[in-house]
Amino acid sequence: MDRNDQQAIGTLFEKLANVERQTPPRDAEAERFINDQIARQPGAPYYMAPGRVGGTAIEEKVGLIRACRWVAASGEAGW
């Protein structure tokens, strides 16, 4: 991991912290489901970090984050 990777991951976590501070409490059922998925596949967060998925461009991950935020904001999927 180089400095750019560290910076990208740090920035992602900063943005996630901002989102967490600005949103209502998390849906308990959704959180349990996510935790169950991570328990089954503990390496998943590593592959979700910027620059980690087979060389996938960070822009694609930003698009994924935006899509997740849209789903969360729209109330879809019980979030």
Side-chain angles (χ1 to χ4, degrees):
M1 174 187 305
D2 65 19
R3 185 175 170 101
N4 290 333
D5 289 337
Q6 290 176 338
Q7 186 175 15
I9 292 169
T11 299
L12 173 63
F13 276 89
E14 289 171 13
K15 289 180 180 185
L16 290 171
N18 287 335
V19 168
E20 187 172 10
R21 283 190 294 273
Q22 297 172 10
T23 58
R26 295 184 296 252
D27 178 287
E29 183 179 351
E31 190 163 14
R32 275 191 301 277
F33 180 74
I34 291 166
N35 288 334
D36 288 347
Q37 296 303 309
I38 291 172
R40 288 187 196 123
Q41 191 173 357
Y46 174 86
Y47 295 105
M48 296 165 79
R52 292 285 149 217
V53 182
T56 301
I58 290 176
E59 291 81 15
E60 290 180 34
K61 290 186 184 68
V62 169
L64 176 60
I65 292 168
R66 286 183 180 144
C68 290
R69 290 169 85 186
W70 178 83
V71 169
S74 70
E76 295 291 327
W79 295 3

